């Protein structure tokens, strides 16, 4: 993906457990989602977060994790 392949629409923190410098950061990037599909991407991010939080192993790690969403409108 290059500069001419899409437009960054913005970033959102969907799980904030503290300073980014002191946490593992998961960044979800809307690669391949068009402008009209951004709501789908947002839902997919929350579905990912729900699945991660439902996993017993991740529940113990969650305090050390932040999750960020980067909305990109792909051409």
């Amino acid at each position: 993906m290059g500069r001419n392949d899409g437009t960054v629409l913005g970033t959102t923190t969907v799980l904030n457990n503290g300073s980014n410098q002191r946490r593992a950061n998961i960044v979800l990037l809307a690669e391949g989602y068009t402008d009209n599909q951004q709501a789908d991407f947002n839902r997919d991010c929350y579905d990912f977060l729900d699945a991660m939080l439902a996993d017993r192993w991740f529940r113990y790690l969650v305090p050390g994790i932040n999750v960020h969403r980067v909305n990109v409108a792909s051409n």
Side-chain angles (χ1 to χ4, degrees):
M1 181 172 170
R3 290 180 188 226
N4 297 325
D5 294 325
T7 303
V8 175
L9 302 174
T11 61
T12 303
T13 299
V14 295
L15 178 65
N16 185 353
N17 283 308
S19 168
N20 286 331
Q21 290 77 18
R22 301 180 66 96
R23 301 293 182 277
N25 291 279
I26 298 172
V27 179
L28 305 172
L29 180 65
E31 172 65 32
Y33 288 81
T34 64
D35 190 42
N36 292 333
Q37 295 172 318
Q38 293 305 302
D40 295 334
F41 174 66
N42 295 347
R43 278 190 302 276
D44 291 344
C45 289
Y46 285 109
D47 288 347
F48 166 83
L49 187 58
D50 289 343
M52 185 180 77
L53 295 175
D55 186 284
R56 190 176 351 164
W57 187 76
F58 270 106
R59 268 186 256 145
Y60 296 105
L61 300 175
V62 165
I65 297 173
N66 289 335
V67 179
H68 307 279
R69 179 181 80 218
V70 180
N71 288 78
V72 178
S74 294
N75 296 339

